[in-house]
Amino acid sequence: MAAQLAQQKAKYAELIVRAGLNLQPGQRLQIAGSAIAGVDPHLAPFVRLIAAAAYRAGALLVDVIWDDPRLLPIRLREAAPETLGQHSDWPIAARQEFLDKGGAFLGILAGDPDLLSGIDPKLVSAVVNPLLEAVRPVTARIEANAANWCVASAPIPSWAAKVFPSLPPAKREGRLWEVILQLCRADQPDPVALWLSLGKDLASRAAHLNARQYSSLTFKGPGTDLTVGLPPRHVWLGGQNRAKNGVVFLPNIPTEEVYTLPHRSRVDGSVQSTKPLNLFGSTIEGFRLVFRDGKVTEFAARKGEAHLRELIETHEGASRLGEVALVPASSPISKLGIVLWDVLFDENAASHLALGGAYRDSLKGGGEISEEEFAEAGGNASAVHVDFMIGSSEVDVDGVTAQGTLDPIMRKGEWAFNM
Amino acid sequence: MAAQLAQQKAKYAELIVRAGLNLQPGQRLQIAGSAIAGVDPHLAPFVRLIAAAAYRAGALLVDVIWDDPRLLPIRLREAAPETLGQHSDWPIAARQEFLDKGGAFLGILAGDPDLLSGIDPKLVSAVVNPLLEAVRPVTARIEANAANWCVASAPIPSWAAKVFPSLPPAKREGRLWEVILQLCRADQPDPVALWLSLGKDLASRAAHLNARQYSSLTFKGPGTDLTVGLPPRHVWLGGQNRAKNGVVFLPNIPTEEVYTLPHRSRVDGSVQSTKPLNLFGSTIEGFRLVFRDGKVTEFAARKGEAHLRELIETHEGASRLGEVALVPASSPISKLGIVLWDVLFDENAASHLALGGAYRDSLKGGGEISEEEFAEAGGNASAVHVDFMIGSSEVDVDGVTAQGTLDPIMRKGEWAFNM
């Protein structure tokens, strides 16, 4: 079993390099945790597998930005509150350096969902908000596909403990590895070929929706009655992307979604979350949002409401939507029936929305226009982008045509149109 | 025992922050592994203790540059040889950023002495040499005491295995912790006060030698008959330093040495190493060097001769001396009677020399003159600085006065003068 796991981890590393990044011979690769975090030191053994795969694929240089997430709660508890806005410039310069040199970017998400539990959300914001603002030029370049990039994930003990609290501690991390490897199809004979095929399926579904150019979507289910306006020239995306360097890549492994641009001022009604959310090391559960003219006008959460308030009230643009995504309730992650407390997995278990910034490429020509023009076209701007799940087997989705008629898109959480 | 160890580690962290760095309220702190390496990810728990101590001491921001050393052998084995000269600019910019902002610098040395064993030294040089050259402006600023800095150490498993091969694997790291904590006096009631006092003792010894202004030193022992010329205005240093920001700090914990500037062209005779050496992840043992007019003219090693050759023949300045240091054979590290395979400890177990660059502050006014003037005064310049041990209880050291008479400085490895 241990040998099988080791073999699958190596296959997963290859998969990330070959199918996710599609790393080119002679290309640099930078590995981090996200745009604002480094890789958790616990993941060193897995990063070594990725580095080996990257060098075998001809990488010019593999560079890793590490970060110990557990230094943050120490800082929040021990440092003088007025110093919390201080941050180093070099982690941002490091990312710019690699983008300037045409490097590919890999983010390995892994977080303790309870890292900052019990800490005043205002203190968290004092550290995180300036950092998110400072890194915006970098995230903009990555989201504009300046180079091929990918986001993947690997277990750390605190995260595994949150997902499998009832397993014996020594079994949790191994179990989370098994689940991740399975969801990423690293247990299959040829996962690279499989992902190329899955990517094509998602692209066809996106192409079908693009051809329809619905003026809005409606979501109906328990606690949910929401209309999400779609701007003219919105683009549905899914599966593979093409970077400006011409490289075709898979930005997320796993991915099960197709997504597009919601209109920043045409969202109305109420929506009930169907899965909990991990937000900067704190959890938010059982929440409900009411939108009017695109803006959140009311919100409530069974747990973590203060964190939800901090998000919505302190970040410009976090009270409007930046993404609407469709995922069938029968997706492999959803069928697993557990909350994985990691956006990469949970967002691929259910249809979802995101509060915050929109992707430029979800509007036709969105990469070539100014911020003002993008906003005018309906695109929201923000330093944050927080996905939250609203889909389930009880939710129906319809597309509203230009003529005002309704086309079924999902029924009971499953695709309701043929291609 | 585990609780005691945990308590001593916390005291050690405090000691590094208070007595080593003497970190000032409102000062930034950057932690790395060395000028060219980040902290080993395995040391995350210890770095958290240091960060907590630093924030309690009023740090504005604690920044850590991490680095997984085990990525280097992977690169050397898997990457195309012609790519090995590539390196990222950001780790150097990161250090410059903190120096520019007046930050203190802590290096936590910890290395696997056999990390690169079996790998062609030419490949190692191809990676390491350009990096050492690129980082020279940073090392120059640190060595010129641009800010308060300190080098300390903490165990990693591969290193502990090398030091205690005969202990059961599960006991090795704990044992190395015990030894380090003992050598750093973290097991004493008030190690901060103790180090201030030890620092003063070393400073008095340096003051005595400064007053004598010997024209050279002679070392005599088994296999060793060496004269090391000392330039006019050479300065003996030991214990505490004063940074340009006025902060008095202890640059090494532990430290047992007084050291000064050898003349780059006035070293003659032969010298036998008395301890093995860990050089960029490879080991060199039982070696002998012959000097003429300051330059190595012959060398041989029982083990690792190719690495010694690579050092001496590929680095400018590595065939001349940059430091001569005196340490009694009865120093606590020496009395322990084991090789610690880490320069911070082994150099404080025996009198030693260093091949490579000299410290500017070991010449009076050395910080204010040009590179050419420093060389003219007898100071060697190089991107490397490799300490090697030549002292033992069988080695005598004499100071040669301007009049050509000999003063005993050490007899059988012990101090032979009173202060």
Side-chain angles (χ1 to χ4, degrees):
Chain A
M1 193 56 210
Q4 196 189 4
L5 203 60
Q7 192 195 24
Q8 286 183 14
K9 284 181 195 175
K11 270 174 87 173
Y12 180 37
E14 283 282 344
L15 170 66
I16 289 168
V17 169
R18 304 268 178 186
L21 294 164
N22 189 12
L23 191 72
Q24 301 296 298
Q27 194 178 22
R28 285 174 178 79
L29 169 62
Q30 187 169 63
I31 308 176
S34 70
I36 60 163
V39 183
D40 191 299
H42 182 79
L43 297 178
F46 182 57
V47 168
R48 290 172 203 146
L49 294 178
I50 296 174
Y55 282 121
R56 280 196 298 270
L60 188 62
L61 176 66
V62 178
D63 180 77
V64 188
I65 304 175
W66 304 92
D67 213 352
D68 177 15
R70 292 176 64 184
L71 289 173
L72 180 54
I74 290 170
R75 182 180 184 196
L76 295 173
R77 290 199 183 93
E78 304 285 357
E82 66 273 18
T83 65
L84 295 178
Q86 296 285 335
H87 62 82
S88 308
D89 296 332
W90 66 259
I92 297 163
R95 288 161 169 88
Q96 296 280 24
E97 179 190 346
F98 269 66
L99 289 171
D100 289 348
K101 291 176 177 169
F105 183 83
L106 172 64
I108 308 182
L109 290 184
D112 174 359
D114 293 321
L115 180 73
L116 304 178
S117 107
I119 294 178
D120 180 356
K122 292 272 172 222
L123 296 179
V124 180
S125 276
V127 171
V128 172
N129 294 9
L131 206 50
L132 286 169
E133 283 301 329
V135 86
R136 278 177 83 161
V138 170
T139 49
R141 289 177 78 180
I142 294 175
E143 287 172 5
N145 302 324
N148 34 332
W149 58 276
C150 182
V151 174
S153 195
I156 55 171
S158 51
W159 172 27
K162 178 81 175 177
V163 181
F164 300 111
S166 55
L167 283 184
K171 300 271 182 196
R172 292 169 180 165
E173 194 180 341
R175 179 68 192 126
L176 187 51
W177 261 121
E178 285 170 8
V179 165
I180 289 175
L181 292 167
Q182 181 198 328
L183 294 175
C184 296
R185 280 78 159 178
D187 59 343
Q188 300 295 310
D190 187 352
V192 172
L194 197 59
W195 275 112
L196 295 182
S197 155
L198 290 168
K200 274 183 197 150
D201 291 353
L202 290 169
S204 323
R205 216 161 273 280
H208 172 95
L209 290 167
N210 280 327
R212 307 293 298 175
Q213 281 289 307
Y214 292 116
S215 74
S216 58
L217 304 175
T218 61
F219 292 83
K220 287 192 201 303
T224 291
D225 186 353
L226 187 75
T227 301
V228 177
L230 302 181
R233 295 184 294 131
H234 68 268
V235 178
W236 286 90
L237 296 159
Q240 292 170 323
N241 276 9
R242 181 183 297 271
K244 285 190 177 145
N245 57 12
V247 178
V248 173
F249 67 100
L250 200 55
N252 285 183
I253 291 183
T255 181
E256 313 282 348
E257 63 171 350
V258 294
Y259 60 96
T260 192
L261 179 67
H263 196 293
R264 65 188 297 279
S265 4
R266 294 206 289 114
V267 182
D268 291 277
S270 60
V271 65
Q272 175 68 42
S273 71
T274 52
K275 284 178 188 289
L277 188 61
N278 173 22
L279 181 69
F280 307 134
S282 300
T283 56
I284 307 176
E285 298 182 42
F287 56 98
R288 198 173 157 270
L289 302 170
V290 177
F291 288 86
R292 191 166 164 179
D293 296 336
K295 202 171 154 70
V296 175
T297 54
E298 286 174 46
F299 59 87
R302 197 177 67 239
K303 193 181 156 191
E305 189 173 298
H307 298 280
L308 189 59
R309 177 183 313 278
E310 190 63 25
L311 171 71
I312 291 172
E313 295 186 349
T314 76
H315 284 283
E316 207 184 312
S319 58
R320 295 180 185 272
L321 295 184
E323 181 189 346
V324 53
L326 302 177
V327 178
S330 62
S331 91
I333 302 172
S334 181
K335 277 198 289 192
L336 200 70
I338 51 174
V339 174
L340 275 159
W341 295 101
D342 180 306
V343 65
L344 180 62
F345 299 98
D346 291 331
E347 74 161 5
N348 283 303
S351 293
H352 53 273
L353 304 171
L355 288 170
Y359 299 122
R360 289 301 189 101
D361 58 356
S362 59
L363 182 75
K364 198 166 180 183
E368 287 91 50
I369 56 179
S370 70
E371 266 192 44
E372 292 70 27
E373 289 167 319
F374 186 61
E376 217 163 282
N380 192 38
S382 178
V384 296
H385 179 100
V386 177
D387 295 281
F388 63 99
M389 279 47 85
I390 63 161
S392 77
S393 60
E394 297 179 294
V395 175
D396 291 342
V397 185
D398 285 277
V400 184
T401 65
Q403 295 73 36
T405 59
L406 293 184
D407 284 357
I409 294 180
M410 291 187 134
R411 284 294 173 268
K412 294 186 185 299
E414 300 303 326
W415 293 117
F417 63 89
N418 296 316
M419 290 185 300
Chain B
M1 192 58 210
Q4 197 189 5
L5 203 60
Q7 192 194 24
Q8 287 183 13
K9 284 182 195 175
K11 270 175 88 171
Y12 180 38
E14 283 282 343
L15 170 66
I16 289 168
V17 169
R18 303 268 178 185
L21 294 164
N22 189 11
L23 191 72
Q24 302 295 300
Q27 196 179 20
R28 285 174 179 78
L29 170 62
Q30 187 169 63
I31 308 176
S34 70
I36 60 162
V39 184
D40 191 300
H42 182 79
L43 297 178
F46 182 57
V47 168
R48 290 173 203 145
L49 295 178
I50 295 173
Y55 282 121
R56 280 195 298 269
L60 188 62
L61 176 66
V62 178
D63 180 77
V64 188
I65 304 175
W66 304 92
D67 213 352
D68 177 16
R70 292 176 65 185
L71 289 173
L72 179 55
I74 291 170
R75 183 179 182 195
L76 294 173
R77 290 201 183 92
E78 304 285 359
E82 66 273 17
T83 65
L84 295 178
Q86 295 286 333
H87 62 81
S88 308
D89 297 331
W90 66 258
I92 296 163
R95 289 161 169 87
Q96 295 279 24
E97 180 191 346
F98 269 66
L99 289 171
D100 289 347
K101 292 177 177 168
F105 183 82
L106 172 65
I108 307 182
L109 290 186
D112 175 359
D114 294 320
L115 181 73
L116 304 178
S117 106
I119 294 179
D120 179 357
K122 292 272 171 221
L123 296 179
V124 179
S125 277
V127 170
V128 171
N129 293 8
L131 206 50
L132 285 170
E133 283 300 329
V135 85
R136 277 177 83 162
V138 170
T139 49
R141 289 176 78 180
I142 293 175
E143 286 171 7
N145 302 324
N148 35 331
W149 58 276
C150 182
V151 173
S153 195
I156 55 171
S158 52
W159 172 26
K162 179 81 175 177
V163 181
F164 300 111
S166 55
L167 284 185
K171 301 270 183 198
R172 292 167 180 167
E173 194 179 341
R175 178 69 191 127
L176 188 51
W177 261 122
E178 285 170 9
V179 165
I180 289 176
L181 293 167
Q182 181 199 328
L183 294 175
C184 296
R185 280 76 158 180
D187 59 344
Q188 301 295 312
D190 188 352
V192 172
L194 197 59
W195 275 111
L196 295 182
S197 155
L198 290 168
K200 275 184 196 148
D201 291 352
L202 290 169
S204 324
R205 217 160 271 281
H208 173 95
L209 290 167
N210 280 328
R212 307 293 298 173
Q213 280 290 306
Y214 292 116
S215 74
S216 58
L217 304 176
T218 61
F219 292 83
K220 286 194 202 300
T224 291
D225 186 354
L226 188 74
T227 301
V228 177
L230 303 181
R233 295 186 293 132
H234 68 268
V235 178
W236 287 91
L237 296 159
Q240 292 172 323
N241 276 9
R242 181 183 296 272
K244 286 190 178 148
N245 58 12
V247 178
V248 174
F249 65 101
L250 200 56
N252 285 183
I253 291 183
T255 182
E256 314 280 349
E257 63 171 349
V258 295
Y259 61 96
T260 191
L261 179 69
H263 196 293
R264 65 188 297 280
S265 356
R266 294 206 290 115
V267 182
D268 290 278
S270 61
V271 66
Q272 175 68 41
S273 72
T274 51
K275 284 179 189 289
L277 187 62
N278 174 22
L279 181 70
F280 307 134
S282 300
T283 56
I284 306 177
E285 298 182 43
F287 56 98
R288 197 171 158 272
L289 302 170
V290 177
F291 288 86
R292 191 165 163 180
D293 296 336
K295 201 171 154 69
V296 175
T297 54
E298 286 174 46
F299 59 88
R302 198 176 67 240
K303 192 182 157 191
E305 188 173 298
H307 297 279
L308 188 59
R309 177 184 314 278
E310 189 64 25
L311 171 70
I312 291 172
E313 295 187 350
T314 76
H315 283 283
E316 208 184 311
S319 58
R320 296 180 185 270
L321 295 185
E323 181 189 347
V324 52
L326 301 177
V327 178
S330 62
S331 92
I333 301 172
S334 182
K335 278 199 289 192
L336 199 69
I338 51 174
V339 174
L340 275 159
W341 294 102
D342 180 306
V343 66
L344 180 62
F345 298 98
D346 291 332
E347 75 161 6
N348 283 304
S351 293
H352 54 274
L353 304 172
L355 288 170
Y359 299 122
R360 289 301 190 100
D361 58 356
S362 59
L363 182 75
K364 197 167 179 184
E368 286 91 50
I369 57 180
S370 70
E371 265 192 45
E372 291 70 27
E373 289 168 318
F374 186 63
E376 218 163 281
N380 192 38
S382 178
V384 296
H385 178 100
V386 177
D387 296 280
F388 63 100
M389 279 46 84
I390 63 161
S392 77
S393 60
E394 298 180 294
V395 175
D396 292 343
V397 186
D398 286 276
V400 183
T401 65
Q403 294 73 36
T405 58
L406 293 184
D407 285 355
I409 295 180
M410 291 187 133
R411 283 295 172 268
K412 295 188 185 295
E414 299 305 324
W415 293 118
F417 63 88
N418 296 317
M419 289 186 299

